[in-house]
Amino acid sequence: MSRFKEEEIAVLSREMETMSAERIIGWAVENFQDRLAIASSFQVEDMVILDIASRYGKVRVFTIDTGRLPQETYDLIDVVRERYGIKVEVFFPKPEDVEKMVREHGVNLFYNSVKLRQMCCWNRKVKPLKRALEGIDAWMTGLRREQWETRSSVRKIEVDTIHGNIVKINPLADWTWEQVWKYVKEKDVPYNALYNKGYMSIGCLPCTRPVRPGEHPRAGRWWWEQGNKECGIHVGGE
Ligand code: SF4
């Protein structure tokens, strides 16, 4: 747990509701310094956060390399290293977890059932995330309320009860898709080339497709499943 008490986070949460993303990110960098990390899957929201945070000094950025990411995401990681002069902290799944899983259920197990898909996300994403968060007091994410119903009540700052009560900061919680892209264009922020091919949310290659006109922005994630559009990183559970 960070040096902030739960009651203090509740007060901050109310105050930050009307604060700009810039102020919140500046506050976070100043207060937590190297005990803060941006969790980035190199989606466009993560790029906005990184771009803003980089104005306040060196920031830590970590990512989870599931082993199944699109080439375009790897390309962007290299661009980010160059442009922002940072070393991206890459966390991988434990080889023994993946080896056991694919030996028993096949390399493309996620298409076979929701349970197996969740098992894959658990081994490739959720468990490495737990390691990435060890030893830090706060993490920053690109969650936005309009992304999906499970995110509609996200606060700009909250206590992350799933990960040992550290602080979770979601500075773009009230941003719209249009606001995100306005910022990216105005500031010439690098972004994943897949957005130019109709993708609106980008995760692992086999589990993401472009969306068709009129579809929900997250319709391309695990498109063969009905309903759930979460991997477990933000909602917990195996
Ligand atoms: Fe596995 Fe797909 Fe989840 Fe990636 S998104 S961890 S490939 S199930």
Side-chain angles (χ1 to χ4, degrees), residues 52-107:
I52 297 172
S54 66
R55 288 186 228 150
Y56 295 96
K58 284 269 185 239
V59 278
R60 288 176 61 188
V61 177
F62 74 78
T63 194
I64 310 294
D65 182 350
T66 63
R68 302 298 297 257
L69 300 179
Q71 182 59 40
E72 289 82 350
T73 303
Y74 293 117
D75 292 343
L76 182 57
I77 294 173
D78 274 349
V79 170
V80 162
R81 282 171 57 93
E82 184 78 16
R83 161 106 173 227
Y84 296 98
I86 54 169
K87 290 190 172 114
V88 177
E89 299 170 32
V90 183
F91 287 81
F92 296 92
K94 288 226 161 110
E96 58 268 33
D97 289 342
V98 177
E99 285 168 5
K100 181 170 182 289
M101 177 178 72
V102 300
R103 193 178 303 137
E104 286 179 17
H105 302 289
V107 287

Side-chain angles (χ1 to χ4, degrees), residues 66 68 110 117 120-121 124-125 204 206-207 222 224 231:
T66 63
R68 302 298 297 257
F110 28 78
R117 194 278 282 174
C120 187
C121 285
R124 290 185 187 271
K125 286 185 175 185
C204 293
C207 301
W222 309 288
W224 63 93
C231 62

Side-chain angles (χ1 to χ4, degrees), residues 167-186:
V167 174
K168 187 174 181 182
I169 300 157
N170 312 300
L172 307 187
D174 58 353
W175 279 39
T176 63
W177 181 244
E178 290 72 26
Q179 276 178 286
V180 171
W181 280 99
K182 185 168 181 284
Y183 183 95
V184 166
K185 299 292 179 192
E186 282 178 3

Side-chain angles (χ1 to χ4, degrees), residues 143-156:
L143 291 181
R144 292 184 300 111
R145 290 172 190 150
E146 69 169 20
Q147 283 170 329
W148 193 248
E149 56 208 49
T150 46
R151 302 179 177 189
S152 60
S153 56
V154 155
R155 305 295 299 172
K156 293 187 181 178

